[in-house]
Structure formats: C-alpha cells, structure tokens
Amino acid sequence: MKKKPARTEATTVGAIDDEALRYTAGRDVELDLALVEADCIGSAAHAVMLSRLRLNPPLFTPAQLRRVLRELAAIRRAAARGEFTIRPADQDAHLAVERTLTERLGELGRRIHAARSRNDQVAVDLRLFAKRELLGALAETAALAATLLEFGERHAGVPLVGRTHMQPAMPSSVGLWATAGCESLLDDASVLLQAYELNDQCPLGSAASYGVPLPIDRQLVSDLLGFSRPIHNVLHANNTRGKNEGFILFALGQTMVTLSRLAQDMILFSMPEFAYFRLPAAFCTGSSIMPQKRNPDVLELVRARAARLLADAHVLQEILRAAPTGYNRDLQETKEPFLNGLASARATLRVMDRLVAGTRVDEAACRRAFTPDVFATDRALELVVGGTPFRDAYHHVKAHLGELRARDPVEALMRKTHLGAPAGLDYAAYRERINALRETARAETAEFDAAIRRLLGR
Amino acid sequence: MKKKPARTEATTVGAIDDEALRYTAGRDVELDLALVEADCIGSAAHAVMLSRLRLNPPLFTPAQLRRVLRELAAIRRAAARGEFTIRPADQDAHLAVERTLTERLGELGRRIHAARSRNDQVAVDLRLFAKRELLGALAETAALAATLLEFGERHAGVPLVGRTHMQPAMPSSVGLWATAGCESLLDDASVLLQAYELNDQCPLGSAASYGVPLPIDRQLVSDLLGFSRPIHNVLHANNTRGKNEGFILFALGQTMVTLSRLAQDMILFSMPEFAYFRLPAAFCTGSSIMPQKRNPDVLELVRARAARLLADAHVLQEILRAAPTGYNRDLQETKEPFLNGLASARATLRVMDRLVAGTRVDEAACRRAFTPDVFATDRALELVVGGTPFRDAYHHVKAHLGELRARDPVEALMRKTHLGAPAGLDYAAYRERINALRETARAETAEFDAAIRRLLGR
Amino acid sequence: MKKKPARTEATTVGAIDDEALRYTAGRDVELDLALVEADCIGSAAHAVMLSRLRLNPPLFTPAQLRRVLRELAAIRRAAARGEFTIRPADQDAHLAVERTLTERLGELGRRIHAARSRNDQVAVDLRLFAKRELLGALAETAALAATLLEFGERHAGVPLVGRTHMQPAMPSSVGLWATAGCESLLDDASVLLQAYELNDQCPLGSAASYGVPLPIDRQLVSDLLGFSRPIHNVLHANNTRGKNEGFILFALGQTMVTLSRLAQDMILFSMPEFAYFRLPAAFCTGSSIMPQKRNPDVLELVRARAARLLADAHVLQEILRAAPTGYNRDLQETKEPFLNGLASARATLRVMDRLVAGTRVDEAACRRAFTPDVFATDRALELVVGGTPFRDAYHHVKAHLGELRARDPVEALMRKTHLGAPAGLDYAAYRERINALRETARAETAEFDAAIRRLLGR
Amino acid sequence: MKKKPARTEATTVGAIDDEALRYTAGRDVELDLALVEADCIGSAAHAVMLSRLRLNPPLFTPAQLRRVLRELAAIRRAAARGEFTIRPADQDAHLAVERTLTERLGELGRRIHAARSRNDQVAVDLRLFAKRELLGALAETAALAATLLEFGERHAGVPLVGRTHMQPAMPSSVGLWATAGCESLLDDASVLLQAYELNDQCPLGSAASYGVPLPIDRQLVSDLLGFSRPIHNVLHANNTRGKNEGFILFALGQTMVTLSRLAQDMILFSMPEFAYFRLPAAFCTGSSIMPQKRNPDVLELVRARAARLLADAHVLQEILRAAPTGYNRDLQETKEPFLNGLASARATLRVMDRLVAGTRVDEAACRRAFTPDVFATDRALELVVGGTPFRDAYHHVKAHLGELRARDPVEALMRKTHLGAPAGLDYAAYRERINALRETARAETAEFDAAIRRLLGR
C-alpha cells in the first residue's frame, strides 16, 4: 500500500457545502480553544498506551513516543500562550492537533488516531477540562462559604426581622441569615462532589462507542490521566457525553439557586426603605440618565444568570432524552452551554465572595425595623409555657394584637437557644466542614497536577 | 385567660374569599392525602419531644402523650384504609390532623402545634414520604438493572449493528447494548443515593424559619424519625423545601433519560424494517382504525414522561430561584410536580422491567443486518496492525469501500476483548454493584421501618 | 360476513398487561371527562357527514342519523350532569362514547368510527374544548384589563415612586402603573387571539394522518362545527396536535408573565415598610403559628403558577420537537399540561380581577415615599431646558446630590405630559381597545353556540 | 455652570470593581456590535425630535442637527465595515456611540442623551434589529416553504409508507409529507407575523420607564423610524423589553419544531434500511475513524438547535416572570439568547432549504416498503362501502391479517381524493399563500428601508 499525504479534510465524505460546514461547525473553532490543553494531555496518554501495545512493528518506538510527547507539550504551551489556532477546515480542536502533529512529525502524526475516535477524544477532553473547573468551583464555594460564615459570626448578635411571604414574621439575626447561606453552599458542594466523582471516570477507548479489535489498555490510560477508574462499558462511555455535563451544570445550578436567593435578600435589605445592608460602592452601578442612582446590578445579574444556567442544565437533559444511544451529532450543541455554565457559575461565586465581604450592616436600621407584631409568636409561646394550649394562646394573641409591646430584639434572640436557632448556631462545626471541603479540593488538585506532570511535564 | 373552643379556621386572617380559597388551596385537599401518614409520624415525634420539655405544667404528661400517640396511630390507620378526609376548610393535611385530634382529645389537640409551624410540618412530611419512595425507586432501579444484565448476558454473543448518527457504524452486541443500559442505571442510582442522603436530614424545629424561644430538642426528633441528622440552621431547614425535592426529581430525571434513550433504541430495533427485537404483545397496543397495528406505546410514553419529569425538575428550581429566602407560598406549587414525578419515575422503572424481561431477540435478523461497510473500521485497524499509519489506512479503506467483504459478525465481536468491549465485559462486576445497591435499599428500609414502629407501632 | 358483537376492547392487539394499561392510560380516564361534550359534538358532525356520503346502502339513513344524534345529545347531557363515566377498559372518552352508542344502538354505534381515528377525534375535541376556554379567557382578560384601567383612572393623580432595579428612580403614578398592566394584557390578548385563530381550524378527516379512500366532506364537517376552515393537509392536521396546544399555553403564559410581574409589584407595595397598597383582607391568609400574619398568598401563587404554566408550555414544544411526524403516543402527555394550564390561567385572571378591584391605595404613604433624590433627573432636565448639555447637567446634579430639595410629587407628575407619560395617558383609547376585545369574545361565542345548537340542539 | 469634559465613565456611581465590571458587562462589548447600526438610527431619530422641541436655546440648531446626523451616519458606516469598537469602559454600544459623538462633536455629543435612557435605547435598538431579522426570517420561511412545495409537487405520486408510532400505518405520498411541512411553515409564519406586528411598535421616550418633564414627540420618533405606532404607556414600553424578544423566539421556535420533526423524518427515510431519500453528499459528514460513514449531521443539529432555541425562549419568559416591573438588570441576560436564537433559526431555515432541494427520492425503494398490512385499513373501509359496520369490518380484517394481499400503492393513493388527502392536495393554494408571505416581507422591507434612508441616507 502506498503512503498517502496527510489529508485531514478527508474525514468528511467529500467536499462539504460551505453553509453546511458553518452550520455543523457552529462556534466550535472558537469554543474548542478551551479544550486544546486537554486534547494534548489525552493524546499523550493515548500515545503512551499505543506505544506499549505488543504490535510488530510497534505503533510508536520509545524514541518516536518521546517525539510525539514533545510536540504535544509544545502545542499545549502554544495554546496556553494563545498562539494555537484552529482552522475552519479543522472543524475542531481534535483534528487541529492531529493536523499540527502531522505537519511536524509526518507519519507519526498520522499514527496517533489509531483505536480512538473524535467522540471519545471530546469525551475525555471535556472530563479533563471539567475536572479542573470543578476543583476550582469547589475551592471557590469553600471561600464564599467561609466569607458568609465570617460575616455571620461577626454579626451574630445583630437582630434582623425574619420574614415569611416577604412579610415580617419573627425575630431573626444576621448570623442566622448568613450561616443559612453558608450551610446551603455546603449542601450544594456535596452535590458538586458527587458530580466530580462521576466525572472522574475515563471514557477513552470507546472509539466510535463499540470498542476496537486491538488489545488497548483502558486501565493504563485512565491511570495516566489521573482518573479514579475507566468507565467500563464502551457504549456507556459514549452515552455519558452530555449527561455528565448535565449533572455538573445541575450541581452548579443548585449553587446558583442558593446565590440567587441570597441576592434577592440582599437587594431587599439594601433598598433605602430597609437599609439593613449597605453594598460596597464598587459593586454598584449608576444610570445613564438618573444622577442619583446606585443599583445592585451584580445581584440582579446573579438572579438572571442563575436562570440561564438552570435552563442550560435542562436543555442538556432534553437533547439527550430525545436522542437514541450511541453518538449523535446533537451532542455538539451541549458543549457551548456547558462551557458557558461553568464559567458563569465560577464568576458568580467569585464576585459574590467579594461583594459579601464588602457589605456593611447597619445595626441601628436593623433594630428600628422591629415593630411589636414581630414578637407575637414569642408572646403566644410564653402563654404556652404558662400552661395555655398553643392554639388557644395563638387565638388570644391574635385577638389582642394591639396590646403587643415592643421588646428588645437581641434579648428575644438570646432566648432561641436550641440547635440551629439564632443563639444555638455551631459556628465551629461550619468552619470544620468548610475546611474539609477546601482540603478535598486542594488534595485532588495536587494529585491531578502530579499525574499530568508525569505525563507531559511542566 | 379563658379557654377558647377549637377553631382551626382561625388560622386565616378572617373570612377568606371563596375564589381565593380555591386558588390558594389548589389541589392540596386531594394531594395531601398522600402525606397524612407522614404527618401522623412527624406529629408523634414532635409530641414525644414536647412531652420531655421540662415545663411546669408539662405540655403532655406521660398519660396524655399515650393518648395523643394512640389517636395519631388511629388516624394513620384510617388514612391507610382511605377513610381519612381533608375538608376544604382544613386546607391541608396538617390542619386536618390537628382538627381531628382536637375533636377527639380536646385541649390535647390544641397543644400539639406548640413550637412548630405548618411549614416545617410539610417539610418533614415530604422528607419522610420521599424517603420511602426513594428506597422503593432504588430497589426498582436495582431490579431493572438486573433484568438488563440478565438480558445482556443471555444475548452476550448476539451481534448487533452498532450505530452512530443512527447510521450503521461498527459491530456491537446485544450484550454491550443491554449492559450499557445497566451501567447507566447504576450511575444514575449513585446520584439518587446522594439525593437520598441529602433528604435524610430532619428539618423539624424550624418553625416559621427562625426557631422558637423554647428549649426544643431537635436531635431527639431527628433520631425518633430515623433521620441521619437534623439540618442545623433553622432558616436553612426551611430554605431546603423545594430544593430537596428538586434534586430528587433531577436524580430521577437522570434515570428517565437513560430509559428514554433505551426506549428509543427499542422502538427502532422493533420496527418491522429492523425486527431485531420483538416486544411482548401484552405491552403493545393497537389502533382504533388500523386493524394490523401493534404499537410500542409504552416506549413512546417513557420518552414523553421523561420530558415531563425533566420539566418538573426544572420548574422546581425556577420557583426557588425567583423567591427570596424564608417561606414563600410559591413553594406550594412544588408539591404536585414532586408527587407526580416520584410516581411517574417509579411506574416507568416497573413497566420497563417487565417489558425488557419479555422482549425477544431475533438473532437471525440481527445477523442479516451486517453489511460489509460495518467492518470498514475493523479493516482499517487490520492495516494498522500491519504497520500502516491509521490515517493512511483510513483513507485507503475509504477509497476502496467497494472491496469490503462481509464477515462473520460474531467473529468480529470476539476480537474486541479489551476492557468494556463486547468480548471484554465483566458481568460479575455488574452483578456485584447491583447486589450492593439492593442491599443498601433493603437495609435502609429496615432501619426506617424499625424507627417508625418504635414511635407509632405496627 | 357474519356480524360480530361489539368489542371495544379489541382495539388493542390482545390482552394488555395490567401495569402497561395503567401506564398507557395514565390519568386519561379522569381527564377525558372534560372532553366528553366535545366528543359528542364532533361525533355528531361526523355522523351527519357520513350520512350524506353517496354510498349504497348509506352509512346512516335519515332516521338512523336522528337516532344517533339523539343518543349523542343524551350522552352530552349526562356528561354535563356528571353522570357519564369512562371505564378503564374504554381507555379514553372516544371509545367510551362509541361503546355507549353501541350498547344503545347496536350496529349504528359500530358504524360511527368509519373514516376517522381516535387521533383526529382527540384533535377535534381538544380544539372544540379550547375554543370555548379561549373565548372565556379573552373575556376574562378584558374584564381584568377594565379593572386595572378603572383602578388607574381612579388613582390617576396618586404619585408613586417609580423604580428601576427596585431602587427609587423617578416620579411615577398609580395611573401609569395600572394602565401599564392594562396595556400589557391587551398586547397579550392579541397573541391569544392569534392562538385562537390557529385553533379555529378543523382537523377532522385526517384519520390516522393519511386520509381515507372514501369521498368524505371535510369542509362540511368544519362548517357544521363552526370552525373557520378545515386544516388542508391531513398529515399536517395530525401534526398540529400538541403544537396548537403549545401555542395556546404560550399565549396564556404571556398573560401569566404580566400578572406575575404585577403580583411582585403588589407584594412589594403592600409590605408594611411601603404600605402604598392595602390588599383586601379576604384575599390574604394567616399563619398556623404567627398570630399577626396577613400574607399575600394569592400573589405569591400567581408568581409560582406562572412558572408552572411556562414550563408546561415549554414541555409541549419539547415533546413535539423530539417526535417524528405522524401520530406518536408521546402526544398523550401533552393533554394534562394543556388542560391544567387553561384552568390555571383562567383562575388566575379571575382571582386577580377581584383582588385588584378590592385593593386600597394609601395616598399619604405614597407621597411620604418621595425623597429628594427621586427628583434628580427632573432637576438635570431643567438644566437642559436652560441650555446645559444633558451629560453636563447629569454630572452637575450628581456632584451636588445633597442640594436636591423635596418637591411636590403631583406637580412633578403634571409636567410629564407627553404621549404615554403620567399626565399624557389616553384612558379613552384603552377603554376602546378593551371594548373591542370584549365584543370579539362575545360575537365569536354567540356564533359558536349557534353552530353547536344547530347540530345537537339545546 | 461650568462646562465639564466628557466623562462616560461617570455613569457609574464611582470606580467599579474590575471583577464586577466584567461580571456586569458580560459579553456586551462583543454582542453589542450587532446593535451599533440600530443605535445610530435610533439616535438620529431622537436627535431630529430633540431639534424640533421648542426650547430656547434649541437643543440642536438645524446646522448642529446636520452635523450630528453626519457623524451618526459615519459611525454606522464604520460599524458596517467592522471598524467601530466598543471599549470595555463604554460597557455597551449606547455609551460607545455617545462617547464617539462627543469626541468628534464636543458639546453636541453631550446633548444627545437628553430625555432618553440607555434602557429605551436598547429597547428601540433591539426592535429595529429584530425588525430586519424577522423580515429576513419571513422571506427565508417563504423560500423553504416553496422548496418543500416544489419537492412535494415533483413527487406528488411517489408512494410513501405513512407511519404512526413510527410503525407502518397507511399509504401516504411524498407529496403529502412535503406539503405537510410546507403548510406547517405557513402556520408558523402567521405566528411570526404576529410577533413582527407586536415588535413593530416604538418604545422610545420611555426614558427610565417613567417619561420626562419635556414635551417630547414620541409619535414623530416612531414615524421617523418606520414603526407602525409608538407603544403608549411609557412604563409598559419598558416592560416589553425581553417579553417582545421572548415572543419572537417562541415564534421562531415553532418553526424550529416543524424543522426538527422534518429532520427526524429525513434521518429515518435516509437510513440505509429505508433508503427512501438520499441526502445530498455536500450536506453529510464523515467520521474520523470509520471510513464508510456518511452522516446526516445537519439534520441532527437541526434537532438539537431546536432544543436550544426552545430553551432560550423559555428562559426569557422566566427571567421576566421573576422580575418586578420597571427596568431590572436581569434583562441584560436576555440579549445573548435573543441574538443567538435569531441567528440560529435563520441559519437553520437557509441550510434546510438547500438540503431539501438537494435531496433525491428513490421511488423504487419507496414502493418496495409497501407490505400487505399497510393496506389493512383500506380493506376494512372497502367492507364498510359494502355495508359492513366499520367496527365489524375492523375486527374481520384483524382476524384475517394473513389474507391481506399486496396492492399497487399508487392506485391506493389515487383513491384518497378528499380535501387534503394525497390525491386531494391543492398545490395552487399553497403557492398563493407562499407568494402572499413573500410579498408581505418584500413590501415591509421596502418601507423600512425607505424610512431609514430618509433619516440617515444611503
């Protein structure tokens, strides 16, 4: 058989219509820049594995392997400097890397795609990319949780009118409010960790979903890439594309729901009519027409970005639901929402951290808000302690609302001492959970970095 | 203070407009029947805890507590027999139970609502209800996974044209297809288990979200109800309403996505043009006009029910995202999608189990479908083994597609021996994972049952 | 050929599995009660048309036709009295009506299904049902728009702090706020009218989507049923199932978005910290634990019900998107969201009408809210009138915010006289648009009623 | 008052935090490039109107107005050449245009923002932009409808196995299938036209939602910009932001649902197992690993892009639902989905047009697919014509399915002559509807172009 020149364009059936090419490539040429690093790493592991196959002649001799790894490292560095480009004819990062390898290494570049398909390349690339992003998101969640905890502890004794239905309800505290946010983020992080664990499986070796008639070593590839284990069934490996991303987005969506609700509270608390909180000026913006304006734009955008991320998580599920198993091109449309969602959630975590840290509490305004009716339930429960059945006490207070008197709100708080109440919060336990989360993120990152370093240096 | 007669209607501000009452109650009077049992259980734990408060006079003496528990047990049994009714004026299960207790026990009934609100009642009720449903769903997931495993193992050697883009791609097997479904369900179960764990926390004691000025013992209530722990922050406890349900629905949604995709495959495989599979007649329906029809209605409905459940999971997130923290009445609208979603997912798991079990594979039809082009990649990889760079081999085969010859598909399968490929599947490992899942569901159920029995008998 | 006894169950291939039957029937046996009336009407038109086919022997002689119509009228009346039941074995309204006819009329009942399928029955039933509901919704929209207009006109001169970003922005008025809602509803009604027009096409005669080899007269059926025209292509007729409902839900969703935003405003305006509005007591509810509570539950539920309706509109599109053309059973899952959405939107329109009508405005509270900074833009525009470039005036005022003085808010309003500004509103034009809408709904209803009466009496 | 230098940054309260700036600006600096042209047009109309205000001194003398218009025209041309840039400090197109004007014209640039806000600028810009896009989409819809009509007419007599539940059902034709798509697009276009009409209203003059104390002439601005009328209520004008875009996306979503379903059919029809259709090679793509592949990627992406557009339409509604009235920054997040959705829908219309035009029908394959059971219903209806009640005929055929004989499918088609059936299609009526649509798009475009030309030349 005569050797052919490298022809990457030939992966298409023939000449593709220009409009169809634009339609099918979508924004991939641009979006895939985020995946070049992961593609080099995944290709490196694949090449190492191929070089160990007992074929004669071998796919790569040790020397050839070193050359391949060197070029992959070079491409990776170029991408990090923003100097690697994906051409429209490449269609995506995967063929761009193969083309570049082939331009530089000739036949060695044409060897690298043995026993894999673009489908499992993009699958492994997205998981490698997501792994680092998730570790970042976990660390940022820990940071924001710590900021909320610190905010809560600093204002543990500042009374706040607790609300239900947005109406004044019962005495609460800034400490309770802030640690509720903190605990919510910690719950959310447990979901994110579960998404991290499912993501931490190696799909490579699925090829076109059905495996290959070569004795490839999928366990080795998984180990080289620092994954916890390979996905077993190769068809399942392919089927997880999109679904894995969907769970990650959902998990981030839980965090966004927490932050959206905190944002709503903070918008309310910082309205001049309430003035419990004063947002840092550097996080507010003005108006093009109204000179006096000082708007909580960041908080409003948190609310709207949460909506978009939730919709993106949903659409990923929908795209999958409607597709049969095995790879379908529909999956390409899951990439942009996924990359956007990751970036959006992490930006939100970071900006909220600084915004909360810079928010000032006006204790006097908080106290002024306590009208007598806020103590109605406390009064009814006093009657209960005195022996009145609760329902009777409730009706009595209700019939005599006008007789309620203002009380010292801090004193009222101090009497709520049971577990998790304003005066029964265990700040130390929160700190411990946050530290454990931070430590998990740190340790996993170190392990992942070490695996990549062993494979491709730097 | 003079004793008042029991007046449950007085929990509203005054006389409520009839249209407004219908609008606010929605379908609660009907839906809440599902929660009466949980409400009795939660109330029993609450009453035990109240009776242990060191108040003088005590809220319930030991004898009074026994009477309360006896009546709660009676209501629970009545509900199980379908003989408990919620009146429109009750609005919901919680006030219906309180009213009934008061009718039967007078003052003791009026005592029970001390230190709690309907909000944390519904929160604990939904978590108790969900706990049992989730354990059921986990067991049903294990059952369907086992059925798919058995189906796959039985047809391990039956060749199937593997598809991508719905087009013939490479040799696959019924074994690979069925265990891909099995592995997907096991992944989904791990998400469901995470949802189970987050659900397994006790919210009671949150009251109106801000705790109470009484030394209630939230740890005791949590223990009595068999929860793993109380939610700490009382405001957070309330904020998890809806969000907890949303995660559960999402987790079930993952399962539904798996099943929807399997359903799509099975619809295709059982079309007369393919005829790989023959669906059990008892799971097909006919037409009112076309005498020859034999339609895969169940599979089509799986696809559509998946869509509805995903949308319901999404709307729960949306309702929460848009609400400030603390209880807001918007949350009522999360109940119906939640109860429907649980029921729909479980029904789907059960019906799919029986449908898969009854499906017959037509091996001859499966074999007939293997046209020569399905072996194109195998051929290219043979050239690779012979030393040709993959990309060159690919182009060679592509240029000579007409020369491809039919092969024995089983032989082709037998050469895919690597981990997770058609001839490299570890059926025993699947069995182990299924058994572990089944055992978890069994053990948790037993423990939960025991806790409830200790509290309320039977 | 020997005559067979009526066997409606025989429309299924054979005996269907019980679990499968429950799964496929879903809530149809219950939901379809809403469609019995429409089914009788549609069947009546179909029978009339069949009787006019020039067949020998005719499908129905004039006397036979009269008997069929009489029985259909009887079934319709029974359904209206709640005395018609659909048995599980019937599966749906369509076979229940055919079975009942057959029980009463023998062979005549067995003749009625010639040249139609259940698919086009349900299609025509849903369109007939939707027609009446839409006319109701249009009338209710007109009523609420009139109430808002009246509310706005009554409080045309009451100043309100206009907000952007929820922060005080510029002087506004209750009149501007209320008529903004009114105009929004009128825009929404134009979308609803477009949905009404698309709905007003007759699908009958599609049979199983592909027409029949009989010379049926689809134009006649369409005319008898009072539709504006038949859908032309029979496959398209079937394909509109679900899509028609989806557009209707979307159009109602536009209305719900308008109402949800009004509800949010009203929740804010009626918080004690604002107290601009006082909601009618009969539309507020209390708390089971807090004696002082007076919660805007109705408004919160409007917000949440809007979310559910939007999600239902979305899921209908999704179910369709993922299905090939021609009938697929997935469509069954569009029925429940559709019926629920119609009922929910109409209930919301009605309850909001009464709630707005009963809301009181506290003019003094509205005036008190005007702090000097609300006039900042007015001040900058005064400088503009005096010759200062706007951007300079803006910066000047911004630099001297402390020098702003309180002004009379009504005077400030009176100076906004341009088209559509607080003092430039054309109340009469609104009234005209509302009357036109009301008249359209009335005239269409009358015409529809007349057609049905001609067909089936009463 | 002393003149100040131009300071666009001063529209923010003070120095804004860098992270907050990135977060709030989002992708606006990039996305807003699409709006620069519209911003110049809108600003031109605003400047003309300001120049006619009877102020002394006037805001713009005739000579000054000419200079402003000349610069706006220059910016517009620069933007068209891709030579206009929005700086991060500008935040958006509106301030970038104002800054550029001010750099070039000094005080005249600082005058232009009198009596308007960025909010109504973006509102009018989006409507102007959308107007042109919608006219394009309408023309493209007409083109694709014409292509489908032509495809249908050309293959009017080619039989196709009609399917329900994806199973063979009854005889159909390629003509019926293609014109069903055509009629669906024409229905969709009627929704799009309704969206066009609602979009065709001018919001300018709303300022910050509450109007201004200057006698601005909103009718004049509306006329200058070629809108059919101004939105009346200024608060409503602002509230339509996002909602207008949502309806447009929904309307495009209807079209996408039509195209997604057509795509599903075409994927099926072109599978080798069916081979009814042969897709044009230039619209298919290959595989990186499987040499034989020829995948219908375009059609798969149509399906997935439909999902994304539907989700984007939904999220717009959701963002609005959750926001109170008046401008809220959440609205910024509606811009990207809107611009993406418009572009995606139009690209889909264009690519489908060329793909359908290039698709070949294999009549022999279509005929081969007709198995005897496809004629079962035709047989039952023959018995009906002979006098057998339909239900009896149905059961008879069902009991004797084995006796069904193959028939000539074309003959079977020819007997379905009623309105809208395969042999009863009115191709001329379709052509008329398409021409009317095309003419509407053409005439509206001409009128819009003329208005813009009068205002800003070229």
Side-chain angles (χ1 to χ4, degrees), chain C residues 91-138:
Chain C
Q91 293 181 48
D92 52 41
H94 323 297
L95 291 181
V97 170
E98 181 178 333
R99 172 187 51 76
T100 307
L101 276 184
T102 303
E103 286 168 2
R104 298 185 186 167
L105 303 176
E107 185 181 308
L108 295 188
R110 300 205 299 282
R111 287 188 181 280
I112 190 117
H113 205 62
R116 74 175 188 185
S117 76
R118 266 186 298 184
N119 299 343
D120 52 358
Q121 268 183 284
V122 64
V124 80
D125 289 2
L126 285 168
R127 282 174 181 262
L128 288 169
F129 182 81
K131 191 167 178 176
R132 192 165 296 287
E133 292 291 318
L134 284 171
L135 291 169
L138 287 165

Side-chain angles (χ1 to χ4, degrees), chain A residues 11 13 16-17 19 23 113 118 282 286 288 293 297 300 303 305 308 329-330 333 348 350 354, chain D residues 13 16-17 19 23 113 118 282 286 288 293 297 300 303 305 308 329-330 333 348 350 354:
Chain A
T11 54
V13 166
I16 189 166
D17 177 89
E19 187 125 27
Y23 194 77
H113 205 62
R118 267 186 297 183
S288 71
K293 279 294 224 159
D297 294 58
E300 295 167 272
R303 195 164 56 179
R305 287 206 179 189
R308 289 191 64 194
R329 187 65 183 261
D330 313 54
E333 292 292 320
T348 304
R350 284 193 303 266
R354 301 183 56 183
Chain D
V13 166
I16 190 166
D17 178 88
E19 189 125 26
Y23 193 77
H113 205 61
R118 267 185 298 183
S288 72
K293 279 295 224 159
D297 294 58
E300 296 166 272
R303 196 166 55 181
R305 288 208 180 188
R308 288 191 63 195
R329 187 65 182 261
D330 313 55
E333 291 293 319
T348 304
R350 285 192 303 265
R354 302 183 55 182

Side-chain angles (χ1 to χ4, degrees), chain B residues 17 23 297 303 329 348 354, chain C residues 17 23 297 329 348 354:
Chain B
D17 177 88
Y23 194 77
D297 295 58
R303 195 165 56 179
R329 187 66 182 259
T348 304
R354 303 182 55 181
Chain C
D17 178 88
Y23 194 76
D297 294 58
R329 188 64 183 261
T348 304
R354 300 183 56 181

Side-chain angles (χ1 to χ4, degrees), chain D residues 209-229:
Chain D
S209 305
Y210 303 103
V212 287
L214 289 178
I216 58 172
D217 187 344
R218 296 181 62 223
Q219 183 68 53
L220 171 65
V221 170
S222 175
D223 292 343
L224 288 170
L225 292 171
F227 282 110
S228 70
R229 63 187 171 287

Side-chain angles (χ1 to χ4, degrees), chain A residues 11-13 15-17 19-20 22-24 26-27 30 95 113 115-118 207-208 212 256 281-290 293-295 297-298 300-305 307-308 311-312 314-315 318-319 322-324 327-330 332-333 336-337 340 344 347-348 350-351 354, chain D residues 11-13 15-17 19-20 22-24 26-27 30 95 113 115-118 207-208 212 256 281-290 293-295 297-298 300-305 307-308 311-312 314-315 318-319 322-324 327-330 332-333 336-337 340 344 347-348 350-351 354:
Chain A
T11 54
T12 59
V13 166
I16 189 166
D17 177 89
E19 187 125 27
R22 269 195 305 278
Y23 194 77
T24 54
R27 289 184 59 210
E30 178 187 344
L95 291 182
H113 205 62
R116 74 175 186 187
S117 76
R118 267 186 297 183
V212 287
M256 291 300 277
F283 288 77
C284 294
T285 61
S287 156
S288 71
I289 173 172
M290 294 174 286
K293 279 294 224 159
R294 199 165 170 287
N295 295 321
D297 294 58
V298 167
E300 295 167 272
L301 286 166
V302 167
R303 195 164 56 179
R305 287 206 179 189
R308 289 191 64 194
D312 280 344
H314 183 218
V315 81
E318 263 306 330
I319 288 175
Y327 180 79
N328 296 280
R329 187 65 183 261
D330 313 54
Q332 172 172 330
E333 292 292 320
E336 187 176 7
N340 284 351
S344 180
T348 304
R350 284 193 303 266
V351 80
R354 301 183 56 183
Chain D
T11 55
T12 57
V13 166
I16 190 166
D17 178 88
E19 189 125 26
R22 269 195 305 279
Y23 193 77
T24 52
R27 289 184 60 211
E30 179 187 343
L95 291 181
H113 205 61
R116 73 176 188 187
S117 76
R118 267 185 298 183
V212 287
M256 291 299 279
F283 288 76
C284 295
T285 63
S287 155
S288 72
I289 174 172
M290 296 174 284
K293 279 295 224 159
R294 200 166 168 287
N295 295 321
D297 294 58
V298 167
E300 296 166 272
L301 285 167
V302 168
R303 196 166 55 181
R305 288 208 180 188
R308 288 191 63 195
D312 280 344
H314 184 218
V315 80
E318 263 306 333
I319 288 175
Y327 181 79
N328 296 280
R329 187 65 182 261
D330 313 55
Q332 172 170 331
E333 291 293 319
E336 188 175 9
N340 284 352
S344 180
T348 304
R350 285 192 303 265
V351 81
R354 302 183 55 182

Side-chain angles (χ1 to χ4, degrees), chain A residues 20-281:
Chain A
L21 181 62
R22 269 195 305 278
Y23 194 77
T24 54
R27 289 184 59 210
D28 259 14
V29 167
E30 178 187 344
L31 291 172
D32 268 23
L33 287 175
L35 299 182
V36 173
E37 177 176 19
D39 204 69
C40 292
I41 294 169
S43 293
H46 186 65
V48 171
M49 186 277 287
L50 288 181
S51 78
R52 301 207 193 157
L53 285 182
R54 299 176 182 284
L55 298 181
N56 190 357
L59 284 176
F60 297 111
T61 64
Q64 287 173 331
L65 177 64
R66 279 194 300 276
R67 289 180 59 201
V68 168
L69 295 179
R70 200 162 52 220
E71 284 306 332
L72 287 169
I75 295 172
R76 181 192 182 201
R77 283 192 304 270
R81 290 191 307 266
E83 293 170 6
F84 184 80
T85 50
I86 305 172
R87 302 178 190 159
D90 294 330
Q91 292 181 47
D92 52 40
H94 323 296
L95 291 182
V97 170
E98 181 178 332
R99 172 186 53 77
T100 306
L101 275 185
T102 303
E103 286 168 1
R104 298 185 187 166
L105 302 176
E107 185 180 307
L108 295 188
R110 300 203 300 278
R111 288 190 180 279
I112 190 115
H113 205 62
R116 74 175 186 187
S117 76
R118 267 186 297 183
N119 299 343
D120 53 358
Q121 267 183 284
V122 64
V124 80
D125 290 2
L126 285 169
R127 283 174 181 263
L128 288 168
F129 181 82
K131 190 166 178 175
R132 192 164 296 286
E133 292 291 317
L134 284 172
L135 290 169
L138 287 165
E140 286 152 359
T141 302
L144 176 52
T147 299
L148 281 163
L149 176 60
E150 197 272 335
F151 187 88
E153 208 163 359
R154 192 156 26 121
H155 305 101
V158 178
L160 195 65
V161 171
R163 292 171 188 280
T164 62
H165 306 259
M166 292 183 74
Q167 301 277 326
M170 289 180 68
S172 176
S173 70
V174 175
L176 188 75
W177 177 82
T179 54
C182 169
E183 189 167 343
S184 188
L185 284 176
L186 290 167
D187 276 5
D188 299 337
S190 77
V191 182
L192 207 54
L193 273 168
Q194 177 66 17
Y196 177 84
E197 268 187 45
L198 278 177
N199 179 72
D200 196 19
Q201 303 176 86
C202 186
L204 215 62
S206 157
S209 307
Y210 303 104
V212 287
L214 288 178
I216 58 172
D217 187 344
R218 295 182 62 224
Q219 183 68 53
L220 172 65
V221 170
S222 175
D223 292 344
L224 287 170
L225 291 171
F227 283 109
S228 70
R229 63 189 171 284
I231 298 176
H232 188 67
N233 184 300
V234 288
L235 174 55
H236 177 56
N238 212 297
N239 289 343
T240 61
R241 168 89 192 279
K243 200 165 174 203
N244 181 53
E245 292 93 307
F247 183 24
I248 291 171
L249 282 198
F250 171 81
L252 293 169
Q254 294 287 86
T255 303
M256 291 300 277
V257 167
T258 295
L259 300 183
S260 175
R261 300 185 77 181
L262 284 180
Q264 308 245 55
D265 287 349
M266 293 177 80
I267 290 172
L268 197 73
F269 294 170
S270 63
M271 286 171 79
E273 287 84 355
F274 293 86
Y276 304 157
F277 285 7
R278 184 163 178 87
L279 306 178

Side-chain angles (χ1 to χ4, degrees), chain B residues 13 16-17 19 23 113 118 282 286 288 293 297 300 303 305 308 329-330 333 348 350 354, chain C residues 11 13 16-17 19 23 113 118 282 286 288 293 297 300 303 305 308 329-330 333 348 350 354:
Chain B
V13 166
I16 190 167
D17 177 88
E19 187 125 26
Y23 194 77
H113 205 62
R118 268 187 296 183
S288 71
K293 279 295 224 158
D297 295 58
E300 296 167 271
R303 195 165 56 179
R305 288 209 180 186
R308 287 191 64 194
R329 187 66 182 259
D330 313 53
E333 291 292 318
T348 304
R350 286 192 303 265
R354 303 182 55 181
Chain C
T11 54
V13 166
I16 190 165
D17 178 88
E19 187 125 26
Y23 194 76
H113 205 62
R118 266 186 298 184
S288 73
K293 278 294 223 158
D297 294 58
E300 296 167 272
R303 197 165 54 181
R305 288 208 179 188
R308 289 191 64 195
R329 188 64 183 261
D330 313 55
E333 291 291 321
T348 304
R350 285 193 304 266
R354 300 183 56 181

